[in-house]
Amino acid sequence: MELGDCQKTAHEQGQLQRDLWEITQSPWKRGILPGADSLSQARESLPRSLPADGMGFESVQKHILEDIVPAFNASSISPNYYGFVTGGVTPAALFADNVVSAYDQNVQVHLADHSIATDVESNALGLLADLFHLDRREWHNGTFTTGATASNVLGIACGREFVVRAAASKKGVSNSSVGESGLFEVMHASGLSGLQILSTMPHSSVGKAAGILGFGRANVISVCLDDNNQNPLGIDFKKLERELARQDKASIVVVSCGEVNTGRFATTGIIEMQKLRNLCDKYGAWLHVDGAFGLFGRILVDSPEFASISKGCEGVELADSIAGDAHKLLNVPYDCGFFLTPHHQEAGNVFCNANAAYLTAGNAGLVSIPSPLNLGIENSRRFRALPAYASLLSYGRIGYQNMLEKQIRLARMITGWLFDHPEYNILPETGSKEDLLDQTFMIVLFSAKQDALNQKLAARINETSKMFVSGTSWQGRPACRIAISNWRVNPETDFTIITDVLDEVARREQ
């Protein structure tokens, strides 16, 4: 197919966009997971090698729509997909994402006369600060990333720069930038034997960051309280201070603001966050908050109904950096996360592009918006800020409050039902029913009481194709997790679907 022929298909492509829009916005007509036949057909349709002559646009379009799309799952389209805190895609975000693909702006360098894209990204970061009640004067710094994993890497990389420099300064060593001089050289000059991350039940991406950045996964150290039945993420402050006080290690403290299995929070209010801040200041440590989804608790209204959630994310403004995930509760498409920090210079110390004159040419004097390529991992970047910008403007703080309130209420309805069910355990098994309901955010962790059913519980639930749950484990035993994150949630109808499926699965095994 000649490239010029693409112009002939403009009308067809426009109609295709409209058809896809209808598909993604209408109720999902088939099961949550694709059927075996659809998966088999899709795999058989994949070419074994690259054809010499192209198939042409119309044939490829037909192949994708008829062979491949039926083998997709409904992760973002259905409110009953409860795996991996996937979220959904709001209509505003979907529209903006199509614009991103059509105009394909490479958001890497702020060139004010070339494109508005970097201005929009900077503005979107400010809107996020507003959404989370963070002071723009401090927190309007950061970048959009591929997701919370990349955001955690950025936060811990900036922390590494800070803590190693702090250790070096105690030894009277100047010019101690890891980004400039290298990790080994600066650590050697600082008298350090290693780096460590101190946390309670951190997400696996924190371990990944430790592996990437030279800490080592073995140096992600738990500072959990050993006997805290009320909060399994509770911090042992005595153990934490012992580790921070080590002269041979530089430390980063990572706060789990929304743990992936339970949705619980590591801290319970401003007092604990202030205590963390004071300890980090005393020992030259960096305080990072992994707020992939827990950070969104800050958009809730101040009310007794959501008091425990608000307390769990209170005081995050005391941190040195925050990682967030927009594809989760912001409900924008993959891939999109964000990284925020009041220390705007640290990211530049780590991620600046040295000796790349072509990346700054023509930008002299335009320093009001820093070029994103000097703030994060990527040089070539998709304009992923636009869907976030569109969705934030479309729904505002109240719109997002309403979404999250429905998600929490559904999670609490399920928690209460499971607590009373003779065949299921609600996890963690701590406290009264009232306490468990109060602590429930938007994740429900549960297991079957009978081991035989519990071993295959996730598979049995997902086989119904009426809903999807993540299989996980808790205290060495298999468990299932319902993560409610889609903007389409309807507490009444979704509760009926979930309880009907769980009752059916329990009855089948009796």
Side-chain angles (χ1 to χ4, degrees), residues 432-491:
S432 65
K433 181 178 180 180
E434 290 71 24
D435 289 337
L436 286 167
L437 290 172
D438 186 58
Q439 293 293 322
T440 299
F441 184 25
M442 31 62 68
I443 288 179
V444 180
L445 185 68
F446 68 102
S447 64
K449 293 182 178 179
Q450 299 299 321
D451 284 337
L453 173 57
N454 199 51
Q455 293 293 329
K456 52 192 174 184
L457 181 58
R460 289 288 182 264
I461 292 169
N462 295 337
E463 281 170 3
T464 69
S465 209
K466 296 176 182 177
M467 59 182 281
F468 178 88
V469 300
S470 298
T472 184
S473 63
W474 184 256
Q475 296 181 340
R477 192 168 182 264
C480 292
R481 188 190 67 159
I482 296 174
I484 302 164
S485 57
N486 197 296
W487 66 273
R488 293 175 171 87
V489 65
N490 183 312

Side-chain angles (χ1 to χ4, degrees), residues 109-132:
V109 180
H110 178 58
L111 297 171
D113 295 334
H114 292 204
S115 174
I116 194 69
T118 46
D119 299 77
V120 172
E121 177 165 336
S122 178
N123 191 273
L125 289 168
L127 297 177
L128 283 173
D130 294 341
L131 181 70
F132 300 127

Side-chain angles (χ1 to χ4, degrees), residues 25 76 87-91 331 403 406-407 485-489:
Q25 297 312 305
S76 290
V89 181
T90 66
N331 275 246
M403 285 183 208
K406 288 192 297 182
Q407 291 157 352
S485 57
N486 197 296
W487 66 273
R488 293 175 171 87
V489 65

